[in-house]
């Protein structure tokens, strides 16, 4: 055991430093996300979800850093990763919209153009039901919108970034709930 420690002192120290940095950065980022969530009055579930995504990214970074620190042969590792990623890539091609919706959900979390409880209008000519919607919940993949007649619509997060969305204040609504133009 002493020989192993003596022979791999640099790798062990590099591993410890990497893990400590990841833990510290993860803690700081977690606190920052929580602060953004509380300042913006965002849903607690949304804040936890974004924290999980960021934590996962830090751990992926840690694994890659540890692989580089321990000097794993990049050519052999590259062959393994390329084979695995080829299979995963084919599987994820069908799931690409899910990844774009998750990414859009994270962007919406940090840009917070609207929040739960806001009344919005989506400028989408392909949307069959026009009018105003009440944002009931913002999930990782989609947003729950409630129409004035009580109908619940799920709308993908990536379309919320692609389409024009107007946040409607209470002064913009008539007494019957329709748009005042």
């Amino acid at each position: 055991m002493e020989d192993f420690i003596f022979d791999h002192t640099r790798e062990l120290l590099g591993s410890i430093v990497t893990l400590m940095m990841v833990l510290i950065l993860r803690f700081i980022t977690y606190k920052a996300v929580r602060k953004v969530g509380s300042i913006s009055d965002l849903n607690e579930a949304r804040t936890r979800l974004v924290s999980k995504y960021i934590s996962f990214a830090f751990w992926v970074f840690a694994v890659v850093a540890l692989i580089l620190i321990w000097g794993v042969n990049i050519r052999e590792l590259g062959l393994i990763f390329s084979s695995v990623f080829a299979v995963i890539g084919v599987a994820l091609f069908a799931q690409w919209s899910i990844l774009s919706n998750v990414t859009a959900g994270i962007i919406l979390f940090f840009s917070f153009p609207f929040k739960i409880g806001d009344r919005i209008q989506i400028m989408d000519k392909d949307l069959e039901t026009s009018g105003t919607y009440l944002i009931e919940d913002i999930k990782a993949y989609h947003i729950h919108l409630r129409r004035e007649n009580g109908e619940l619509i799920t709308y993908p997060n990536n379309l919320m970034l692609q389409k024009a969305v107007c946040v409607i204040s209470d002064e913009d609504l008539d007494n019957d709930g329709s748009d005042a133009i």
Side-chain angles (χ1 to χ4, degrees):
M1 182 69 173
E2 291 178 16
D3 290 338
F4 178 79
I5 293 173
F6 183 73
D7 291 342
H8 300 287
T9 304
R10 291 183 62 198
E11 289 87 356
L12 289 171
L13 287 175
S15 299
I16 291 170
V17 168
T18 300
L19 291 175
M20 292 301 293
M21 294 230 357
V22 166
L23 288 173
I24 291 169
L25 288 173
R26 186 175 160 259
F27 177 76
I28 291 170
T29 306
Y30 177 78
K31 289 292 187 186
V33 168
R34 302 280 294 173
K35 188 168 186 156
V36 167
S38 66
I39 288 173
S40 305
D41 194 30
L42 297 175
N43 190 340
E44 180 68 25
R46 245 180 107 195
T47 304
R48 281 195 311 267
L49 186 66
V50 170
S51 295
K52 285 180 186 177
Y53 291 152
I54 293 172
S55 179
F56 178 76
F58 275 127
W59 288 117
V60 167
F61 168 75
V63 167
V64 170
L66 289 174
I67 287 171
L68 294 174
I69 289 171
W70 282 92
V72 175
N73 189 346
I74 300 298
R75 291 180 190 199
E76 292 173 10
L77 193 62
L79 179 64
I80 292 170
F81 277 141
S82 64
S83 300
V84 169
F85 283 133
V87 171
I88 291 174
V90 170
L92 287 180
F93 181 73
Q95 303 300 326
W96 189 255
S97 65
I98 291 175
L99 294 174
S100 68
N101 283 324
V102 169
T103 304
I106 292 172
I107 292 170
L108 288 173
F109 177 81
F110 285 109
S111 65
F112 44 87
F114 36 76
K115 60 184 177 184
I116 296 173
D118 283 351
R119 192 161 286 286
I120 62 169
Q121 182 176 11
I122 302 171
M123 306 299 178
D124 185 1
K125 64 181 179 180
D126 297 330
L127 189 62
E128 294 177 9
T129 56
S130 62
T132 61
Y133 304 95
L134 177 68
I135 298 177
E136 282 195 351
D137 200 1
I138 302 174
K139 303 280 188 182
Y141 307 111
H142 57 272
I143 295 179
H144 287 176
L145 302 173
R146 181 76 60 183
R147 291 184 59 195
E148 293 156 352
N149 65 1
E151 183 181 13
L152 181 66
I153 297 173
T154 58
Y155 199 73
N157 284 341
N158 61 354
L159 290 180
M160 291 299 280
L161 291 179
Q162 294 174 11
K163 305 294 180 180
V165 177
C166 297
V167 178
I168 300 172
S169 64
D170 292 334
E171 298 89 38
D172 294 339
L173 295 175
D174 286 337
N175 291 337
D176 62 352
S178 63
D179 292 337
I181 299 177

